[in-house]
Amino acid sequence: MVRKLHSSIAFVVALLLPAVGNAQAYQCRAPSISSVPQIAPDARPRVVPVTGYTLALSWSPAFCRTRQDSRSHRVQCSGDNGRFGLVVHGLWPQGARAYPQWCPTSQRVSPAQARANMCMMPSTRLIARQWAKHGSCMVRRPETYLNVTRVLWESLRIPDYDRISREDGLTAGRIRQAFADANGRMWQPSMVGVKLNEDGWLEEIRLCYNDRFRPTRCDARRLGARDGQRARIWRGL
């Protein structure tokens, strides 16, 4: 499984090389990390074959809108460690009828591994949880899960959603089309999910991959908002 995962990633990255270079226009300073929270499963393990993957990217200004003073989200939301746009929520394996989760593992994320990924996933609890819930069903070691996630993340170009947020008549379709346009021939709008909250604010972009990490068409659940649905992007205070 690990060998197949690495070969698939290497193949896709080779195809993506002309587009490599994260265009995110935000800065990050990784803090010192002395410990990583221990995560307890909140559901029963589900071990099913992996048929694909979702890379979920959270829109940080919206996430931090009510969390500027939260100690648990200080790195991401206080501004002391920089400003964030899209950040990785997680890399999630998919199954044919249900997604795998909480697969048995004794491996834990180390402080050094967490710090190395804080500019991608700015929360030690988030990193630890994503490994325990999702990564454990993909590979044997947390560093492999985080490395794969980072390779995918760093292959992406992020549109200027701050500028796009100012456009009149913004829609979910415009948000996904902007991402596809920024990322070249392998990405089509149908491969880009857009999650809006009940008031139409952007919460997440969800990128759909097949089991070889090639971008693929999202199913209806992951595609989220319809193209014509009105959308808003919170830029922060």
Side-chain angles (χ1 to χ4, degrees):
M1 176 62 184
V2 174
R3 183 175 299 175
K4 179 182 177 182
L5 189 68
H6 283 168
S7 61
S8 297
I9 284 287
F11 176 77
V12 172
V13 169
L15 291 179
L16 289 170
L17 277 177
V20 167
N22 188 351
Q24 191 86 319
Y26 295 80
Q27 300 298 316
C28 168
R29 295 177 295 278
S32 298
I33 304 294
S34 59
S35 64
V36 176
Q38 186 167 359
I39 303 298
D42 58 9
R44 298 182 67 178
R46 186 188 300 128
V47 182
V48 298
V50 175
T51 59
Y53 302 90
T54 302
L55 183 64
L57 308 178
S58 174
W59 181 243
S60 190
F63 177 83
C64 291
R65 190 173 181 177
T66 59
R67 296 178 173 91
Q68 284 95 344
D69 299 324
S70 169
R71 293 190 62 184
S72 59
H73 300 294
R74 180 181 58 80
V75 173
Q76 183 174 355
C77 298
S78 69
D80 294 341
N81 295 89
R83 295 180 60 239
F84 298 89
L86 284 173
V87 296
V88 174
H89 179 172
L91 177 61
W92 305 336
Q94 303 294 314
R97 291 186 173 86
Y99 60 85
Q101 65 175 12
W102 302 114
C103 295
T105 180
S106 61
Q107 298 289 311
R108 293 181 57 187
V109 176
S110 72
Q113 291 163 1
R115 188 176 192 276
N117 291 281
M118 286 292 283
C119 289
M120 177 179 74
M121 302 173 71
S123 163
T124 55
R125 179 168 293 278
L126 175 64
I127 293 171
R129 180 178 172 82
Q130 294 304 301
W131 155 249
K133 183 175 182 179
H134 301 291
S136 62
C137 298
M138 292 170 51
V139 291
R140 296 187 181 93
R141 301 185 302 171
E143 58 264 39
T144 307
Y145 173 70
L146 293 169
N147 287 344
V148 169
T149 304
R150 190 167 59 251
V151 167
L152 293 176
W153 167 243
E154 291 179 350
S155 76
L156 302 173
R157 290 187 179 275
I158 307 301
D160 185 355
Y161 283 123
D162 188 283
R163 177 185 60 78
I164 291 169
S165 72
R166 304 171 195 271
E167 295 179 1
D168 293 333
L170 183 62
T171 63
R174 170 68 175 122
I175 292 172
R176 62 169 51 96
Q177 183 69 58
F179 186 92
D181 289 346
N183 283 278
R185 60 188 174 87
M186 287 191 67
W187 286 95
Q188 300 296 321
S190 62
M191 302 168 175
V192 182
V194 175
K195 182 185 179 184
L196 307 177
N197 72 8
E198 60 184 11
D199 296 318
W201 293 99
L202 175 66
E203 286 189 346
E204 282 194 347
I205 288 178
R206 294 179 174 176
L207 306 178
C208 299
Y209 297 86
N210 66 15
D211 62 351
R212 297 187 64 197
F213 288 97
R214 293 188 181 190
T216 191
R217 186 181 184 91
C218 296
D219 55 52
R221 179 176 56 83
R222 289 184 291 168
L223 189 66
R226 295 181 179 272
D227 280 350
Q229 187 170 338
R230 293 295 297 270
R232 294 185 287 179
I233 301 176
W234 179 257
R235 296 188 297 273
L237 299 174

